[in-house]
């Protein structure tokens, strides 16, 4: 119970720390913070600027301003987008679903694919299969994620016409039934999810390969072999689970990278999530939206970290004990 | 040192990486000679496919020479990559040293700050920083440096803690040397090899972040960069594949080269690990 409380307190403190960074960023911007918040369009409207100054207490000392801002964050008031005529919280909530769908699918694909390819490479260390997998992993790791997405579009959509190149569902999808609609979304999900997962998959493959080679030296593997267990049984029963532990730990640390990747991938595929919203906010210099997104995406990372923590407990029973 | 060099050169990764990197550096240096006209110049017909009209890699929607952009983009990528990695090294090594050497409250605060920065999606933070400070070489380097230091800080902290407990550090302390001199002359030189390796990998990571930033339209508007070119080609991928393919290959080759050099450097500087 006490442990739960301290970790909850840690999470709240982290969120406030990130909000404070947000606050300082606006202050670091050249010029009047009210003009920054108003965006390029509202900056000339004196009455509007005065309204923003009053709302954020910009005539107060800095510390009071920070207090006002943190209070707003605590009540989920993320400000107002002048460009879109909508509160930032509403905009973000509308886009949260598609981003969760994309990142969680990509997270699953990369973990499964990474452990699988890593295990194959590690088991066949030194063979051509190992070399091929390791080379592909090395190349993928160096590929800019948006470029990979464009190349997949070029080959699979433009040249071969197999999958839709962009969007969330068919234009006519609104008239579809529930099942057909889901199918349409799924077809649109394949390319962005593959793109986003590919680079992480490369990282997990390398990690899993190294980890499996290390685990193969352990005494319990020798014991299992001495007991007369088959190689397949040893791999499934002892090695895979133990070798996957560092991969899952590392995957937890990669969530932030994945969400950053989602921003570019959604831009490439016009996926209507938080990332696409980020791109639009960047293009129109919509700072309240941008700052709100930064905060929400950070909270998302914290949430997924908790999830991987749970996953960790599932595959490594030692974690829960102490 | 000679030993390190010979180990480095005996690794295939080291030779391949160094050769590729040499080619990219040569591209950057030769760009003003081979393509004296600015890569922004609309010097040809738009949408010329590669190999036609004397254009090696074709032209873009506005008739700008893709080859000129690819060659000129090399220096932008390399400069931003190296400068951002140096920025993150300065921040990370300083904080890591303070935390690792002094321990106690300093350590606690630095570790907590590092954790917060590791939670933040660092590309998103880079976007916000560059967008708010307005894009330029300086702000991009600053933004990438500010989001990339945590891993360096953690590594430095761990290294410094190990080295600081060794006898020669205690000996230096007994001689009455001041803290700064102990850290600079005794601890850092003995802790620095893994930090150099991590630094070389962060050059590659920085190049990828810069490419993504300029793809999103947050590149320095005065310099042609590979990410910008791919971003410009995104909407016309059906008509002009060459606009996005070639700059992407340039990024890929550069990042692979630096990663290979980093790996070979790792093997050469940590002989115990490489012999396993």
């Amino acid at each position: 119970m006490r442990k739960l409380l301290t970790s909850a307190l840690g999470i709240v403190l982290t969120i406030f720390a990130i909000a404070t960074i947000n606050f300082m960023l606006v202050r670091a911007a050249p010029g009047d913070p009210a003009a920054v918040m108003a965006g390029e369009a509202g900056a000339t409207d004196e009455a509007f600027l005065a309204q923003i100054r009053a709302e954020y207490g910009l005539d107060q000392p800095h510390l009071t301003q920070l207090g006002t801002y943190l209070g707003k964050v605590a009540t989920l008031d993320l400000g107002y987008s002048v460009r879109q005529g909508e509160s930032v919280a509403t905009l973000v909530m509308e886009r949260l679903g598609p981003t969760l769908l994309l990142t969680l699918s990509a997270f699953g694909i990369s973990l499964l694919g990474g452990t699988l390819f890593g295990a194959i490479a590690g088991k066949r260390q030194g063979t051509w299969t190992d070399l091929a997998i390791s080379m592909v992993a090395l190349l993928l790791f160096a590929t800019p994620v948006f470029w990979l997405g464009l190349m997949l579009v070029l080959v699979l959509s433009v040249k071969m016409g197999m999958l839709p190149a962009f969007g969330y569902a068919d234009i006519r999808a609104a008239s579809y039934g529930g099942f057909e609609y889901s199918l349409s979304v799924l077809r649109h999900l394949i390319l962005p999810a593959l793109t986003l997962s590919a680079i992480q998959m490369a990282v997990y493959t390398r990690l899993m390969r190294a980890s499996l080679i290390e685990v193969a030296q352990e005494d319990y593997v020798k014991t299992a072999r001495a007991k007369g267990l088959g190689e397949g049984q040893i791999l499934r029963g002892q090695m895979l689970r133990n070798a996957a532990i560092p991969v899952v730990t590392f995957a937890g640390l990669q969530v932030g990278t994945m969400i950053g990747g989602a921003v570019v991938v959604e831009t490439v595929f016009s996926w209507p999530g938080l990332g696409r919203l980020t791109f639009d906010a960047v293009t129109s210099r919509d700072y309240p939206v941008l700052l709100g997104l930064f905060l929400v995406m950070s909270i998302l990372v914290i949430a997924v970290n908790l999830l991987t923590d749970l996953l960790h407990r599932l595959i490594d029973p030692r974690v829960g004990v102490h | 040192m000679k030993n390190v060099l010979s180990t480095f050169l005996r690794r295939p990764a080291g030779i391949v990486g160094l050769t590729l990197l040499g080619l990219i550096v040569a591209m950057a240096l030769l760009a003003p000679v081979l393509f004296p006209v600015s890569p922004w110049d609309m010097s040809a017909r738009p949408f010329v496919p590669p190999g036609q009209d004397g254009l090696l890699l074709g032209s873009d929607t506005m008739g700008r020479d893709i080859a000129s952009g690819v060659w000129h983009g090399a220096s932008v990528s390399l400069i931003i990559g190296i400068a951002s990695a140096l920025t993150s090294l300065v921040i990370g090594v300083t904080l890591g040293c303070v935390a690792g050497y002094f321990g106690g409250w300093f350590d606690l605060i630095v570790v907590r700050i590092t954790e917060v920065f590791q939670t933040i999606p660092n590309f998103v933070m880079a976007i916000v920083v560059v967008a708010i400070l307005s894009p330029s070489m300086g702000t991009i380097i600053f933004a990438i440096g500010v989001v990339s230091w945590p891993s360096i800080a953690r590594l430095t902290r761990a290294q410094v803690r190990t080295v600081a407990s060794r006898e020669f550090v205690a000996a230096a302390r007994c001689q009455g040397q001041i803290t700064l001199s102990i850290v600079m002359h005794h601890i850092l030189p003995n802790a620095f090899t893994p930090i150099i390796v991590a630094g070389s990998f962060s050059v590659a990571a920085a190049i990828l972040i810069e490419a993504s930033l300029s793809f999103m339209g947050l590149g320095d508007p005065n310099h042609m960069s590979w990410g910008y070119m791919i971003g410009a080609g995104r909407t016309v991928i059906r008509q002009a594949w060459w606009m996005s393919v070639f700059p992407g290959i340039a990024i890929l080759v550069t990042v692979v080269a630096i990663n290979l050099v980093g790996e070979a450097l790792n093997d050469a500087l940590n002989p115990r690990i490489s012999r396993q």
Side-chain angles (χ1 to χ4, degrees), chain A:
Chain A
M1 190 61 204
R2 206 174 133 227
K3 206 183 151 223
L4 208 68
L5 270 178
T6 38
S7 65
L9 187 71
I11 289 169
V12 171
L13 281 179
T14 311
I15 293 173
F16 276 117
I18 295 164
T20 309
I21 295 176
N22 247 350
F23 174 84
M24 295 197 306
L25 276 173
V26 179
R27 282 357 175 241
D32 182 358
V36 172
M37 296 303 286
E40 276 153 18
T44 46
D45 185 350
E46 220 14 81
F48 184 62
L49 286 183
Q51 188 195 330
I52 287 183
R53 275 191 205 104
E55 195 183 331
Y56 288 87
L58 293 179
D59 38 8
Q60 309 283 318
H62 282 298
L63 217 58
T64 326
Q65 286 180 34
L66 178 64
T68 318
Y69 179 67
L70 291 184
K72 278 176 179 290
V73 168
T75 53
L76 295 178
D77 176 0
L78 298 176
Y80 193 79
S81 161
V82 188
R83 297 290 170 129
Q84 315 233 24
E86 195 82 72
S87 83
V88 175
T90 318
L91 282 173
V92 166
M93 286 318 284
E94 275 171 12
R95 304 294 191 102
L96 193 60
T99 292
L100 283 180
L101 181 64
L102 174 65
T103 37
L104 290 179
S105 328
F107 193 62
I109 297 172
S110 60
L111 258 184
L112 281 177
T115 41
L116 181 73
F117 290 124
I120 294 173
K123 192 71 192 147
R124 307 201 178 147
Q125 193 194 352
T127 63
W128 282 104
T129 324
D130 175 28
L131 192 70
I133 293 178
S134 300
M135 284 294 274
V136 172
L138 181 79
L139 284 180
L140 273 184
F141 184 58
T143 310
V145 61
F146 52 92
W147 187 69
L148 181 69
L150 280 175
M151 292 305 108
L152 287 177
V153 166
L154 191 61
V155 176
L156 295 176
S157 306
V158 177
K159 299 276 178 220
M160 299 167 77
M162 280 165 61
L163 290 163
F166 61 86
Y168 186 68
D170 289 342
I171 301 173
R172 285 158 292 145
S175 61
Y176 290 177
F179 177 71
E180 276 176 67
Y181 180 76
S182 314
L183 212 64
S184 177
V185 171
L186 195 67
R187 274 172 54 80
H188 283 81
L189 175 65
I190 296 176
L191 280 186
L194 271 184
T195 308
L196 184 55
S197 62
I199 284 146
Q200 303 300 320
M201 202 190 292
V203 182
Y204 303 152
T205 301
R206 288 165 66 119
L207 205 63
M208 181 70 186
R209 177 183 176 275
S211 174
L212 194 82
I213 291 171
E214 208 176 291
V215 166
Q217 321 274 329
E218 295 282 346
D219 286 337
Y220 54 77
V221 174
K222 286 181 196 146
T223 313
R225 208 165 277 148
K227 278 197 321 197
L229 288 180
E231 284 300 312
Q233 271 177 308
I234 300 174
L235 191 69
R236 277 186 308 261
Q238 264 90 11
M239 290 167 71
L240 283 184
R241 195 178 247 235
N242 283 299
I245 291 169
V247 181
V248 174
T249 311
F250 190 72
L253 292 171
Q254 289 292 300
V255 178
T257 316
M258 192 136 219
I259 288 186
V263 174
V264 248
V265 170
E266 288 183 10
T267 306
V268 171
F269 291 97
S270 300
W271 188 258
L274 298 177
R276 183 70 205 187
L277 188 61
T278 311
F279 178 71
D280 294 338
V282 166
T283 325
S284 58
R285 296 289 189 271
D286 196 342
Y287 296 110
V289 174
L290 210 52
L291 292 170
L293 278 167
F294 177 44
L295 191 66
V296 170
M297 289 193 208
S298 305
I299 295 172
L300 215 57
V301 174
I302 297 174
V304 182
N305 273 337
L306 285 175
L307 209 72
T308 41
D309 210 36
L310 269 163
L311 191 66
H312 209 167
R313 276 159 207 262
L314 276 177
I315 62 167
D316 188 2
R318 282 171 304 180
V319 174
V321 177
H322 36 254

Side-chain angles (χ1 to χ4, degrees), chain B residues 94-108 110 157 160-161 164 173 178-180 183 187:
Chain B
T94 313
L95 287 177
C97 275
V98 169
Y101 187 79
F102 293 108
W105 274 103
F106 285 112
D107 190 34
L108 199 71
V110 171
R157 173 177 171 271
V160 167
R161 276 165 75 111
R173 220 175 273 144
I178 58 165
T179 310
L180 190 67
V183 172
I187 295 180

